[in-house]
Amino acid sequence: MSFPPAWIATYRLQLRGGVGLEQARALLPWLVELGVSHLYLSPLFRAASGSTHGYDVIDPNTVDPVLGGEAAFVALCDAARAAGIGVVLDIVPNHMAFTPENPWIADIMRHGRGSQFARVFDIDWDKGPLHFPVLDGMVEDVLDAGEIAVTGTVQDPALAIYGQPYPLRETPLARRLVEEGGLDAPTLAALLSEQWWSVGDWRETAEAIIHRRFFNITSLIGVLQEDAGVFSLTHRWITEQVRAGRIQGLRVDHIDGLARPAGYLRRLRDAVGSVPVWVEKIVKEHEEIPAAWPIEGMSGYEFMAPVTQLLTSAPGLSAMREAAAGAVPADTLAEVRAVRSELLSGALSPELRRVTEAAMSALAAPRSQGSRLAGAVAGLALVWPVYRSYSADGLPLDPALEALRDDLTGPLLDLLGAANGSDAARNFAARFEQLTGALTAKSEEDTVFFRAVSYLPFCEVGGEPDLAPIGTDTFARRMQARAERTPLALDALSTHDTKRSADARAAVIALARFPDLARTFYEDARSRAAQAGLPEGWGIYAVQTALAMRGVPDAERRITDHMAKALREAKDLSRHEAPDEDAESRAAALCTALLQDLENPAYWPEQAEPAYRAAREGAILAQAAFQLTAPGIPDIYQGTEWTAVALTDPDNRRAIDWDGGGNGGTRDGLSARKLALTRQLLAERKADPELFARGSYALRETAQGWTVTRALEDRRFTLDIAF
């Protein structure tokens, strides 16, 4: 058996939640039977206690003992090699967990700038102490509640806050308190004044944050990967495992969070040689990744939208948008900009401050110009049309961005265009580019995608609410370009980050085949939302969600959890920091009531339900067929070899019952057909991996759907896809 195996397909496995490396090893026979070539693991590094996802890393050079530790990883890799299965690992270079549990952060808390780890993290030390906005009130009130106490030893003093030890400097006061006690409010104030860090109310002290965050998540701190020493320190274990032959591929999380992605990727390529590398990257329609990046491609978000666009009926989409008019934002772009403005003045204000200060330094502007420059930075960020540019990496700005120039933004665009000219200009460019990525994600995916909901399949990572359907020729051209430019890019339909699984989207794609039915459902849902005292847009959202969850196990509980999160993400009725549980309860009740009606045949117009059910089944199978025959490498998310209906995280990370045929959809003939189709097409890919990755792509429309043809030299594959 040759090793490493040819690239046929990856199988994305979410570790944690009861799934460790031993359980992954036990899954190998199923992966062999299914026909995939590589097991793709979510981050396995030591993470913060209780982590459910692994992206809050506290030690990038240690396999988390919770998952089984180093020995379990080696055993998994050995068993995978014996089975002919390669291993792909998700790595997290951009950020680590910002917690005293992180030993590098703990050392910084103890020693400040003198810590050997101070250079690892993106911290503005000139702005004050490292700030932890973790308190539920004033420091004195938390002390009075018994939630702050001195702990540790004379050599290792700490302040226990909500039971978590926060390392203290080894001062006479700290030593005395450890030995004698006597912590009162004045003494606590004196003790805190000695520290390299501070604490405060999480609702009131965001302006005191001096570290770069992942988006607006204070518990994640940015890592300075542009420093060669930091790269070596944080990638030591990864490099060792690649050289030992245990890792056959790497997926880089959130590449746009790095100051200089191209520089990072070149360094990574030098460290890991020819091992394939993919990046998590979101692009707008018709946007391309920088051609010079030494990678195989992106991790698959850019593949999902064209599949959805191809399968979406234009008349049905028009009917759904008309039926939603007045209940959803009339102008998505204006809505996005309004949310961006709110974020820049609120949740992302520390980031705006950092960018403004970088601009002032680069322009040698006096402090009196601070407010004007902040307005210019915010104004430019409000209208920035892509996730980010790469000026700090030396790439030229897109000439189309000149359309954004005015008296305020002109100097900033000049700085971005001259980012290679000085360290100050490069620093501004990096800061601004990191801001626009976070701002775009938080305003679009994490807010407006829960407001502009006339058609949820387009409100997806890698998509946009205002997308239009595409025809057969357009889809074929995009796939042919994929074969030519990135033949080993990952093709994903569902991931741990998608707002809905592919099969959940299929339920709404199928509804678009029936314009009159869609109008009827939307009108009823709007009316019932109004009766429940909810904005009518939540009726539109609820009926699509209910349609996706028909016949799904434990649907009502999952709907309740999901609707609460959806309202908080939308930030119009409820927010994560200030939940309106009454509104959330009413929205969940509305969605549940719609689900019950949709499961009642009498709710449907005569003969509509069987026709709709057939269309839904067709959409589910068509999506899978397009994924498994497209150029690139199919990435099968755990459990989606069967029907798998999942909503936004954490619903899409539920445990999978591999012995029982998954757990996210119905265990009926459709699941069996989807599994059989998956096995059949993976077997075809295994017979000729190069044909499917690199071969030409042709698509012809038929009376029943499409015929896809892949060809390379004298080899040819043809499949009829019905929908």
Side-chain angles (χ1 to χ4, degrees), residues 550-611:
R550 289 178 75 223
V552 173
D554 203 15
E556 293 191 9
R557 180 194 61 78
R558 290 167 59 189
I559 280 173
T560 298
D561 293 342
H562 173 73
M563 293 301 289
K565 178 168 184 176
L567 263 69
R568 295 177 192 185
E569 294 284 79
K571 306 173 189 65
D572 53 3
L573 296 181
S574 187
R575 294 172 178 263
H576 287 287
E577 61 271 23
D580 184 335
E581 294 182 358
D582 176 64
E584 293 168 3
S585 177
R586 282 182 281 124
L590 170 64
C591 190
T592 299
L594 287 166
L595 172 68
Q596 292 169 348
D597 282 343
L598 287 166
E599 290 180 335
N600 180 0
Y603 183 72
W604 295 73
E606 187 176 0
Q607 298 303 313
E609 199 281 333

Side-chain angles (χ1 to χ4, degrees), residues 628-648:
L628 295 166
T629 57
I633 309 300
D635 175 36
I636 299 173
Y637 187 63
Q638 60 179 22
T640 61
E641 59 267 44
W642 299 282
T643 53
V645 174
L647 304 173
T648 308

Side-chain angles (χ1 to χ4, degrees), residues 227-243:
D227 183 295
V230 172
F231 177 91
S232 296
L233 176 64
T234 55
H235 289 68
R236 174 180 56 77
W237 183 89
I238 295 165
T239 303
E240 289 173 355
Q241 301 307 314
V242 168
R243 291 174 179 169

Side-chain angles (χ1 to χ4, degrees), residues 120-133:
V120 172
F121 301 106
D122 196 348
I123 300 170
D124 284 340
W125 283 108
D126 293 338
K127 297 298 181 290
L130 200 60
H131 186 66
F132 294 82

Side-chain angles (χ1 to χ4, degrees), residues 162-421:
Y162 300 124
Q164 170 72 58
Y166 283 63
L168 296 168
R169 296 177 66 186
E170 297 175 34
T171 65
L173 177 57
R175 288 194 292 272
R176 177 177 68 78
L177 288 170
V178 168
E179 291 177 327
E180 303 174 10
L183 185 66
D184 55 21
T187 306
L188 176 59
L191 181 67
L192 289 173
S193 71
E194 298 180 338
Q195 306 311 313
W196 300 111
W197 52 270
S198 62
V199 291
D201 189 327
W202 64 271
R203 290 162 294 235
E204 305 291 339
T205 61
E207 286 298 323
I209 294 168
I210 68 166
H211 68 276
R212 177 172 63 83
R213 303 176 291 177
F214 171 69
F215 294 169
N216 64 333
I217 304 174
T218 302
S219 59
L220 296 174
I221 182 170
V223 176
L224 294 172
Q225 291 292 354
E226 54 268 35
D227 183 295
V230 172
F231 177 91
S232 296
L233 176 64
T234 55
H235 289 68
R236 174 180 56 77
W237 183 89
I238 295 165
T239 303
E240 289 173 355
Q241 301 307 314
V242 168
R243 291 174 179 169
R246 297 192 180 102
I247 296 175
Q248 284 68 53
L250 296 168
R251 181 262 197 188
V252 179
D253 179 67
H254 189 48
I255 192 70
D256 278 345
L258 298 172
R260 291 188 267 285
Y264 168 82
L265 291 170
R266 286 192 296 268
R267 193 169 281 137
L268 182 64
R269 177 56 67 205
D270 289 343
V272 304
S274 61
V275 164
V277 173
W278 298 275
V279 296
E280 181 193 31
K281 164 70 181 163
I282 297 172
V283 293
K284 300 286 188 179
E285 195 172 25
H286 308 305
E287 183 185 359
E288 299 290 340
I289 55 174
W293 283 2
I295 59 174
E296 275 55 49
M298 293 180 279
S299 59
Y301 298 142
E302 78 289 353
F303 176 76
M304 294 186 286
V307 173
T308 302
Q309 289 173 280
L310 176 66
L311 296 178
T312 295
S313 162
L317 178 63
S318 295
M320 295 161 94
R321 286 175 169 166
E322 290 169 6
V328 302
D331 185 332
T332 303
L333 180 59
E335 191 78 3
V336 166
R337 290 178 178 174
V339 173
R340 288 187 182 186
S341 180
E342 181 182 340
L343 288 166
L344 288 169
S345 63
L348 292 177
S349 60
E351 284 67 29
L352 176 60
R353 183 190 69 224
R354 288 160 64 89
V355 178
T356 300
E357 289 168 351
M360 292 180 67
S361 175
L363 295 170
R367 301 302 301 178
S368 61
Q369 292 295 308
S371 177
R372 184 174 183 273
L373 264 180
V377 171
L380 188 59
L382 283 177
V383 297
W384 202 251
V386 292
Y387 267 71
R388 63 168 286 172
S389 55
Y390 297 96
S391 298
D393 250 340
L395 294 183
L397 283 179
D398 184 336
L401 293 171
E402 277 297 307
L404 305 180
R405 181 180 292 273
D406 58 26
D407 290 344
L408 285 175
T409 63
L412 302 180
L413 287 169
D414 290 340
L415 276 181
L416 291 169
N420 279 331

Side-chain angles (χ1 to χ4, degrees), residues 518-532 534-544 590 594 603:
R519 287 191 192 93
T520 298
F521 283 172
Y522 276 29
E523 289 167 3
D524 182 47
R526 289 182 64 166
S527 173
R528 291 164 69 166
Q531 293 169 16
L534 294 167
E536 292 182 13
W538 284 109
I540 303 295
Y541 189 97
V543 72
Q544 294 175 82
L590 170 64
L594 287 166
Y603 183 72

